Amino acid sequence: MTQKRNVVNANCDMRSYLFTSESVTTGHPDKVADRISDSILDAMLAQDPLSRVACETLVKCDMVVVAGEITSKASVNIAEVVRQTIKDIGYDDPELGFHYDNCAVLVAVSKQSPHISQGVTEGEGLHKEMGAGDQGLMFGYACRETPELMPMPILLAHKLTTRLEKMRQTRKLPWLRPDGKSQVTVEYVDGKPQRIHTVLIAAQHDPGIKYRDLRNQIIEQVVKPVMPARLLDKNTKYHVNATGCFELGGPKADCGLTGRKIIVDTYGGWGRHGGGCFSGKDPTKVDRTACYMARYVAKNVVAAGLADCCEIQVSYAIGVAQPLSVLVNTMGTAKISETKISEIVCKLFPLTPKGMIEHLNLRRPIFAQTSYGGHFGRNLPDFTWEKTDMVDALRKAAGL
């Protein structure tokens, strides 16, 4: 805690500093793996909402390996889900070196350990409540930098990769291929974003397009339409395919693994991370559900005006329902005492696994859409953790 406060205060005391976040497209190998894992999870939940799923994926060249533990009444053809997901992403051309219909799919899946199951199932194990599926610590964060209450660098990085994918999918830039990355560096003055210092785009492309044409089209049709014009100036730097060529990409060029983009998935390095990934995990896994709830709590605290930024930490023990700890950290921006905010949070928000699942309505096949574009800052109908429906209750409890 002390270390975090010192870092934040040091930044705020500085007149100017830079902060950078990155994002990747859905065709990036790691995101291919994430989306496959979450698509398998969704297929299980669609048939059996009580499915227990811990699904990991590896992709490389013309091979996909799916491994993990699944206990479910669902009957799912995992290989078929894998191939359809790869096709949906856009790997439908053999020239890309990775093709939905030509790749080998290896499945190594067993049932969930009964010793874990008895800790999660109500009425079994040492504790009769539904316990957490694992130990661990989870964080949620929100701030006033953007209307989405997200840090600006990661939000802009996601906007770039989303735009890059749209231009590929609509064929407005027909030479684009599925793999891609973005990175945005924002200059802060007195703790507030003032300008975009650097924009980086890595866009996989077909052979034959001239570099100058590629660079100009990326800047004009991808970057400028989504970057806030007021934050761009003549000194903003643009790096587009900085090696000069990016024809070979995707799983052909790089191995992809589930859970290797946890910073992209969350806050771009702004705020802390407990280390657990999200994709391929059913809602009984607090790695996923508690991070969603922590974001929900933090966002509502900020939206209610109790603080200008808020970080929530919760921790759990396997088989135990109640969190071991709940910490509210507003980095000195609280309008009332942090102790009071902590008391209100623990009173108003359910923080047991069962309570979080029910409050956020998570036993649904909604997770494939979280596996690209970030899990936070997107106000989609199924993203219940992005709602600010607790604002009135928080303000009333705080006496505001």
Side-chain angles (χ1 to χ4, degrees), residues 195-264:
R195 59 182 294 271
I196 296 172
H197 180 275
T198 303
V199 176
L200 184 153
I201 293 285
Q204 188 188 11
H205 59 86
D206 290 341
I209 184 169
K210 295 181 180 179
Y211 176 76
R212 179 176 294 181
D213 292 338
L214 180 148
R215 175 184 166 84
N216 290 340
Q217 291 181 50
I218 288 291
I219 292 175
E220 294 300 322
Q221 298 191 51
V222 175
V223 177
K224 290 185 177 180
V226 298
M227 292 293 101
R230 62 184 177 83
L231 298 181
L232 297 173
D233 58 36
K234 63 180 181 179
N235 295 318
T236 299
K237 300 177 182 178
Y238 301 95
H239 293 289
V240 179
N241 287 10
T243 67
C245 182
F246 185 11
E247 292 180 15
L248 186 63
K252 177 67 175 178
D254 192 12
C255 175
L257 293 169
T258 298
R260 203 159 59 175
K261 286 291 177 285
I262 58 176
I263 301 303
V264 171

Side-chain angles (χ1 to χ4, degrees), residues 87-273:
K87 183 180 181 181
D88 291 343
I89 291 170
Y91 285 104
D92 53 6
D93 184 348
E95 289 190 10
L96 298 176
F98 184 64
H99 187 272
Y100 73 94
D101 201 31
N102 295 337
C103 62
V105 179
L106 308 180
V107 179
V109 171
S110 61
K111 291 186 177 182
Q112 183 183 54
S113 163
H115 300 153
I116 296 176
S117 178
Q118 70 183 15
V120 178
T121 304
E122 285 188 274
E124 299 182 9
L126 291 177
H127 306 273
K128 300 310 177 185
E129 288 185 84
M130 175 183 172
D134 201 353
Q135 69 178 51
L137 50 142
M138 300 84 201
F139 291 91
Y141 183 80
C143 64
R144 290 195 175 279
E145 283 186 18
T146 61
E148 296 86 352
L149 303 186
M150 286 286 286
M152 182 174 286
I154 186 63
L155 190 76
L156 295 181
H158 285 323
K159 287 182 180 294
L160 287 172
T161 51
T162 300
R163 177 73 177 180
L164 199 62
E165 290 174 350
K166 181 179 179 180
M167 300 304 285
R168 172 179 64 87
Q169 292 164 352
T170 60
R171 304 294 294 169
K172 291 184 177 179
L173 294 179
W175 42 265
L176 280 174
R177 290 180 168 183
D179 200 355
K181 303 175 76 171
S182 72
Q183 189 168 287
V184 177
T185 300
V186 174
E187 181 176 348
Y188 287 75
V189 177
D190 295 329
K192 297 181 179 180
Q194 295 297 311
R195 59 182 294 271
I196 296 172
H197 180 275
T198 303
V199 176
L200 184 153
I201 293 285
Q204 188 188 11
H205 59 86
D206 290 341
I209 184 169
K210 295 181 180 179
Y211 176 76
R212 179 176 294 181
D213 292 338
L214 180 148
R215 175 184 166 84
N216 290 340
Q217 291 181 50
I218 288 291
I219 292 175
E220 294 300 322
Q221 298 191 51
V222 175
V223 177
K224 290 185 177 180
V226 298
M227 292 293 101
R230 62 184 177 83
L231 298 181
L232 297 173
D233 58 36
K234 63 180 181 179
N235 295 318
T236 299
K237 300 177 182 178
Y238 301 95
H239 293 289
V240 179
N241 287 10
T243 67
C245 182
F246 185 11
E247 292 180 15
L248 186 63
K252 177 67 175 178
D254 192 12
C255 175
L257 293 169
T258 298
R260 203 159 59 175
K261 286 291 177 285
I262 58 176
I263 301 303
V264 171
D265 286 344
T266 52
Y267 308 101
W270 199 278
R272 288 171 285 193
H273 198 295

Side-chain angles (χ1 to χ4, degrees), residues 38-48 51 72 74-76 81 365:
D38 272 334
S39 295
I40 293 169
L41 169 63
D42 279 356
M44 297 290 174
L45 292 175
Q47 296 183 33
D48 178 8
S51 295
S72 177
S75 177
V76 173
V81 173

Side-chain angles (χ1 to χ4, degrees), residues 5-25:
R5 290 178 183 271
N6 287 343
V7 170
V8 172
N9 290 337
N11 283 344
C12 291
D13 290 341
M14 294 171 61
R15 174 170 174 76
S16 176
Y17 61 93
L18 304 177
F19 194 88
T20 303
S21 295
E22 70 162 345
S23 179
V24 298
T25 66

